Amino acid sequence: MSHHYITFKDVCFSYPNSKPVLNGVNCTITHGESVALIGANGMGKSTLLSLIVGIHLNFKGSIVVGDIPVQKAALPHIREHIGYVFQDAEAQLFMPTVYEDIAFGPRNYHLPEEEVQKRVQSALDTVGISHLKDRACYTLSGGEKRAVSIATVLALSPDILLLDEPSIALDPCSRRNLIHLLKTFQHTQIIATHDLDLVMEVCRRTLIINEGTIAHDGPTKELLTNEKLLRENGLELPLCLQQPNWA
Ligand SMILES: Nc1ncnc2c1ncn2[C@@H]1O[C@H](COP(=O)(O)OP(=O)(O)OP(=O)(O)O)[C@@H](O)[C@H]1O
Ligand SMILES: [Mg+2]
């Protein structure tokens, strides 16, 4: 996979016995782009990300990652290139300790143990959580779990990052560290988030999802400063553009 683009063509998807969530999604994310996926609760942001890694395969239309259509046989190859941070950090952590969890992915690719150790340490350092290395995952706080889930993905050196609410539960310094990390990530990334201030800093392009389709697709600077358009899509101006409202 030489070019890390993602194309959605007429993508429709429904969960069993439910009304359609996605109803004709069309767009292309090009190589090296950093794109925000925003929209009100329940509009399908997490669902759309989950389709890219083939968590549900019964969608209509096509999704192509690089030059590979998302289909069952291609999933191991596609997943090799994608780092996916779940909205629910807890669902991502399943090994007894933080170290084991971060090492799981590299070990799965049969990397030598020395390389595994290097990758784990580098991911821990990048996210700033070396002190959590030997902790049992179930004892971590919400923000600590979120940070570990980001480290598990970084240890795989992904070419494409899919991040679902990456800043949720992070304290201000950890969030700032994450923003720096995302700004320096050179490859393709899609960030589903309600943190519109993070979007302003990290993503040049924004997609607004509404009623099962990409209702707006354009430069972040234009979409996130358009109060009327944001309101029509169940959103508000980023906090940095709002007037302070002191009690
Ligand atoms: N496993 C499931 N089975 C049935 N319906 C589901 C399932 N998961 C999500 N949904 C429904 O699909 C719709 C889209 O959910 P999704 O989680 O993709 O939204 P979202 O835009 O990520 O929302 P949020 O901003 O709250 O994270 C919602 O109506 C949700 O209730
Ligand atoms: Mg979601």
Side-chain angles (χ1 to χ4, degrees):
M1 198 186 290
S2 55
H3 291 284
H4 309 118
Y5 65 83
I6 303 171
T7 304
F8 302 92
K9 220 176 199 178
D10 299 326
V11 174
C12 300
F13 175 76
S14 311
Y15 289 100
N17 308 316
S18 305
K19 66 182 178 71
V21 177
L22 303 176
N23 215 347
V25 169
N26 286 289
C27 79
T28 295
I29 314 292
T30 58
H31 184 76
E33 263 194 308
S34 178
V35 178
L37 179 60
I38 65 171
N41 288 137
M43 283 300 148
K45 301 177 296 297
S46 298
T47 302
L48 191 60
L49 293 188
S50 72
L51 294 188
I52 301 170
V53 289
I55 289 179
H56 310 284
L57 287 166
N58 55 332
F59 58 86
K60 296 206 178 92
S62 74
I63 304 174
V64 178
V65 180
D67 43 11
I68 307 169
V70 175
Q71 288 166 356
K72 194 168 183 195
L75 292 184
H77 189 42
I78 288 175
R79 288 176 183 169
E80 242 175 67
H81 293 270
I82 295 183
Y84 177 32
V85 175
F86 295 23
Q87 181 163 0
D88 175 9
E90 198 127 3
Q92 192 142 1
L93 308 176
F94 53 91
M95 297 297 281
T97 67
V98 168
Y99 184 95
E100 294 294 315
D101 235 314
I102 302 173
F104 180 84
R107 280 184 181 146
N108 214 24
Y109 289 123
H110 307 294
L111 296 176
E113 200 51 36
E114 202 178 316
E115 174 65 16
V116 171
Q117 271 180 24
K118 262 194 215 154
R119 288 206 184 194
V120 174
Q121 195 53 54
S122 162
L124 286 165
D125 291 341
T126 306
V127 184
I129 51 165
S130 289
H131 58 289
L132 300 178
K133 188 163 120 182
D134 299 316
R135 289 276 300 276
C137 292
Y138 76 90
T139 66
L140 301 177
S141 74
E144 288 169 340
K145 281 181 188 150
R146 167 64 47 192
V148 174
S149 71
I150 293 169
T152 62
V153 159
L154 294 180
L156 291 166
S157 304
D159 298 317
I160 296 173
L161 267 182
L162 306 178
L163 300 145
D164 200 343
E165 302 292 353
S167 62
I168 210 162
L170 292 184
D171 65 45
C173 288
S174 306
R175 176 178 169 279
R176 176 57 44 202
N177 191 19
L178 172 73
I179 288 174
H180 175 71
L181 175 73
L182 299 181
K183 280 168 98 164
T184 50
F185 185 72
Q186 297 290 320
H187 305 294
T188 309
Q189 55 186 334
I190 308 180
I191 306 173
T193 185
H194 295 296
D195 185 345
L196 301 187
D197 294 77
L198 176 145
V199 172
M200 298 271 282
E201 291 199 50
V202 176
C203 305
R204 279 219 186 141
R205 178 179 170 199
T206 290
L207 311 175
I208 302 181
I209 189 166
N210 198 352
E211 302 294 341
T213 63
I214 304 298
H216 302 276
D217 176 354
T220 297
K221 266 191 194 161
E222 281 175 27
L223 299 190
L224 291 198
T225 52
N226 187 336
E227 192 170 5
K228 180 169 172 287
L229 177 129
L230 290 169
R231 212 173 306 121
E232 285 165 1
N233 288 278
L235 301 166
E236 272 191 345
L237 285 173
L239 292 174
C240 65
L241 299 180
Q242 292 186 23
Q243 300 287 345
N245 188 8
W246 303 110

